Amino acid sequence: DAKTTQPNSMESNEEEPVHLPCNHSTISGTDYIHWYRQLPSQGPEYVIHGLTSNVNNRMASLAIAEDRKSSTLILHRATLRDAAVYYCILGQGGTSYGKLTFGQGTILTVHP
Amino acid sequence: DTGVSQDPRHKITKRGQNVTFRCDPISEHNRLYWYRQTLGQGPEFLTYFQNEAQLEKSRLLSDRFSAERPKGSFSTLEIQRTEQGDSAMYLCASSFSPGLGPILVSPLHFGNGTRLTVT
């Protein structure tokens, strides 16, 4: 399985943008890039996914490098509720999707 | 959308006992997944079902573990002869797969898990 590399932790101030990086140099052409987050005492929550183009949804934006070897999850205005562990995961679509390989993720701390 | 429901939220058992967990997925979802998460680690895939068929099992799922989804709706995960190393959070997730033609990526919806402590 292709692997991802994320910083162990990051900090942000409330209402400021947050850029969470992810390196995936061994990504294959069919791998989607998924982001999930896990709030304390809860199960993971889907944030966003993409294949080649940048993606936006109500929660976040996903910026994918042109060579697809890295990506960045962007939270436009961090709130205290965004404090969580953020996981960047590579996975294929189709029948293999759902068998996700989570790493240790990035612990995001948001300061008031 | 009532979300994925797991029961119980917490279970404490003595080593050697059997335990069973239940997961109720989102009603229109045909795929159901089980993951395990230990402290400080990300979730690890255990197994998944498409409707009632168990399509894949991780090698993490020893012979003491069995999962069922008898009618393609709720699922149970049983651990026999529990060991202290089984202490973890057991997470259930569901998604929808159209199954035919171009297959889309459908996000997983996770429950809040069952925390198992084996003493």
Side-chain angles (χ1 to χ4, degrees):
Chain A
D1 290 343
K3 293 187 177 179
T4 62
T5 304
Q6 299 177 253
N8 289 334
S9 63
M10 291 186 65
E11 298 187 14
S12 174
N13 295 318
E14 203 173 9
E15 298 191 5
E16 290 184 356
V18 181
H19 290 234
L20 296 165
C22 181
N23 287 321
H24 28 80
S25 58
T26 59
I27 190 171
S28 75
T30 56
D31 282 336
Y32 285 79
I33 302 159
H34 309 276
W35 283 84
Y36 282 76
R37 71 180 185 181
Q38 188 170 21
L39 280 65
S41 301
Q42 295 188 22
E45 174 188 31
Y46 167 80
V47 177
I48 200 166
H49 76 273
L51 185 60
T52 55
S53 303
N54 294 344
V55 185
N56 300 298
N57 67 20
R58 64 175 180 81
M59 290 181 69
S61 295
L62 176 60
I64 301 173
E66 196 168 335
D67 63 5
R68 301 210 325 126
K69 293 186 177 180
S70 65
S71 61
T72 302
L73 179 71
I74 303 165
L75 307 179
H76 296 286
R77 289 184 65 194
T79 70
L80 297 178
R81 289 175 297 174
D82 291 323
V85 180
Y86 286 78
Y87 297 100
C88 170
I89 305 162
L90 300 184
Q92 294 190 342
T95 56
S96 296
Y97 184 74
K99 184 187 167 186
L100 300 175
T101 301
F102 288 78
Q104 291 194 306
T106 296
I107 300 171
L108 176 65
T109 301
V110 180
H111 299 289
Chain B
D1 180 358
T2 57
V4 177
S5 174
Q6 293 189 245
D7 184 68
R9 287 298 309 275
H10 303 275
K11 178 71 177 179
I12 300 174
T13 191
K14 293 185 177 180
R15 189 178 56 184
Q17 298 294 304
N18 299 342
V19 294
T20 300
F21 311 139
R22 176 179 170 123
C23 172
D24 286 272
I26 292 172
S27 58
E28 61 268 27
H29 284 180
N30 55 0
R31 286 205 178 173
L32 186 146
Y33 312 82
W34 286 99
Y35 282 77
R36 179 174 69 187
Q37 185 174 27
T38 53
L39 206 59
Q41 304 297 315
E44 297 172 297
F45 169 81
L46 292 179
T47 187
Y48 89 93
F49 293 83
Q50 172 105 1
N51 301 312
E52 66 275 11
Q54 189 173 16
L55 296 187
E56 188 166 348
K57 293 193 289 187
S58 162
R59 62 179 182 275
L60 294 174
L61 213 63
S62 77
D63 291 345
R64 297 184 296 105
F65 288 69
S66 62
E68 293 183 345
R69 194 182 183 200
K71 295 183 179 179
S73 57
F74 74 91
S75 175
T76 57
L77 178 67
E78 180 183 17
I79 309 174
Q80 296 183 326
R81 304 180 303 281
T82 53
E83 302 172 356
Q84 287 187 324
D86 297 331
S87 295
M89 175 75 81
Y90 290 84
L91 293 161
C92 176
S94 69
S95 72
F96 177 74
S97 170
L100 295 174
I103 297 175
L104 303 177
V105 173
S106 171
L108 269 62
H109 297 254
F110 283 84
N112 287 329
T114 293
R115 180 167 295 285
L116 173 67
T117 302
V118 182
T119 62

